[in-house]
Amino acid sequence: MPDTLEARFDSGGSAEEAAKALYVHPNTVRTRLGRIAERAGRSLADPRGITELSLALRAVRQTPRPPSSESTRAD
């Protein structure tokens, strides 16, 4: 779902434009965004909530992922 949030930010808040970028229906975008807001306890209608979600998304995107167990196994 981070891709949905990022598409929403990139589209200036438009669910329709985000949906086009993600190749989904706008209602799918709205549903996903509702889930994100609910789980994060932040509102996408509140400037502070938007800022906090934006910063969280940036942190997630910039945090290196640990190697998978498959790539660390020696055969």
Side-chain angles (χ1 to χ4, degrees):
M1 280 196 259
D3 293 338
T4 302
L5 188 58
E6 189 167 41
R8 189 231 189 228
F9 290 144
D10 290 345
S11 68
S14 169
E16 288 77 15
E17 293 302 315
K20 288 178 189 176
L22 296 168
Y23 302 102
V24 299
H25 193 277
N27 287 342
T28 301
V29 171
R30 290 183 191 99
T31 299
R32 290 177 183 173
L33 292 172
R35 288 181 185 158
I36 290 168
E38 181 182 324
R39 290 178 182 167
R42 301 293 182 267
S43 170
L44 286 165
D46 172 44
R48 184 175 182 167
I50 293 168
T51 301
E52 290 171 346
L53 287 169
S54 177
L55 291 170
L57 178 62
R58 179 174 286 172
V60 167
R61 295 289 193 209
Q62 292 180 348
T63 302
R65 295 180 186 213
S68 68
S69 59
E70 289 182 17
S71 64
T72 57
R73 277 192 294 188
D75 290 318

